[in-house]
């Protein structure tokens, strides 16, 4: 996996900088559509890769990932503080017309995706827990940036956009 991540980071060495247990209990809430990079204080051109590992089988019923394939190439999308720090529902619904895909996975399957890829997970409508782990990697030596720079890219201020 590290070899793959290095390749995705242009051949540079990579380091793990975030790891999270992603547990969704029965009835657990959605994670609205977002780009992970909107949460990280790294300049826009920093390559950040998310690795989402299913620890139990996951599908639409218990909160699998939904993705917009290729949409990471569009760059940053304005985020708003609504139910979460998220892409506006209206905007994403327009983009979704026929383009979103669900990513059902078996326990042990691994999803690797660019941090600018819009994604989210629905509510867990099953009676069981959804178990997953999420890791984030960046190339070693990636510079930090201040909140202002991140919000200039991913925030809505001054862009004449509403939600
Ligand atoms: O595991 C989930 O339900 C959502 C994870 C996610 O998209 C995130 O934390 O960025």
């Amino acid at each position: 996996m590290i070899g793959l991540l290095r390749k995705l980071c242009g051949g540079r060495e990579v380091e793990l900088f975030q790891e999270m247990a992603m547990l969704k209990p029965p009835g657990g809430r959605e994670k609205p559509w977002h780009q992970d990079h909107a949460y990280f204080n790294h300049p826009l051109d920093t390559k950040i890769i998310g690795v989402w590992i299913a620890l139990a089988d996951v599908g639409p019923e218990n909160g699998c990932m939904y993705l917009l394939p290729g949409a990471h190439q569009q760059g940053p999308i304005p985020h708003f503080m609504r139910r979460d720090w998220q892409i506006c529902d209206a905007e994403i619904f327009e983009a979704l017309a026929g383009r979103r895909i669900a990513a059902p996975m078996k326990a042990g399957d691994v999803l690797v995706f660019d941090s600018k890829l819009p994604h989210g997970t629905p509510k867990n409508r099953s009676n069981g827990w959804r178990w997953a782990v999420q890791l984030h990697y960046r190339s070693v030596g990636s510079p930090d940036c201040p909140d202002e720079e991140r919000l200039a890219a991913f925030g809505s201020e001054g862009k004449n956009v509403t939600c």
Side-chain angles (χ1 to χ4, degrees):
M1 189 167 86
I2 294 297
L4 170 66
L5 295 171
R6 255 191 228 123
K7 234 183 237 176
L8 292 172
C9 287
R12 293 188 295 276
E13 281 307 316
V14 294
E15 63 184 3
L16 175 70
F17 71 96
Q18 187 190 58
E19 53 189 329
M20 295 192 286
M22 309 302 286
L23 312 183
K24 229 192 249 274
R29 70 176 192 92
E30 59 158 349
K31 174 73 181 174
W33 286 81
H34 64 283
Q35 293 170 302
D36 286 342
H37 206 126
Y39 289 78
F40 297 136
N41 279 5
H42 284 301
L44 203 51
D45 60 359
T46 308
K47 199 77 179 161
I48 302 172
I49 307 290
V51 176
W52 197 92
I53 305 172
L55 300 181
D57 294 358
V58 61
E61 190 60 20
N62 65 347
C64 73
M65 276 291 181
Y66 280 77
L67 317 156
L68 272 191
H72 60 295
Q73 287 160 343
Q74 283 173 229
I77 299 171
H79 282 56
F80 297 83
M81 192 52 82
R82 293 293 180 264
R83 301 184 303 294
D84 205 338
W85 178 233
Q86 63 173 97
I87 298 170
C88 190
D89 293 325
E91 183 170 346
I92 207 76
F93 286 141
E94 253 170 58
L96 287 180
R99 285 178 53 209
R100 88 173 173 177
I101 59 160
M105 296 162 71
K106 293 275 175 212
D109 283 352
V110 179
L111 185 65
V112 177
F113 59 100
D114 188 282
S115 67
K116 293 189 192 74
L117 186 74
H119 64 282
T121 63
K123 178 177 175 165
N124 180 358
R125 295 178 199 286
S126 78
N127 296 323
W129 283 71
R130 190 218 63 185
W131 299 86
V133 171
Q134 178 167 265
L135 313 172
H136 276 104
Y137 288 85
R138 64 187 170 206
S139 35
V140 171
S142 297
D144 291 333
C145 75
D147 281 342
E148 292 72 25
E149 187 174 330
R150 176 174 56 84
L151 293 173
F154 289 97
S156 56
E157 289 281 304
K159 295 193 180 131
N160 203 21
V161 288
T162 53
C163 179

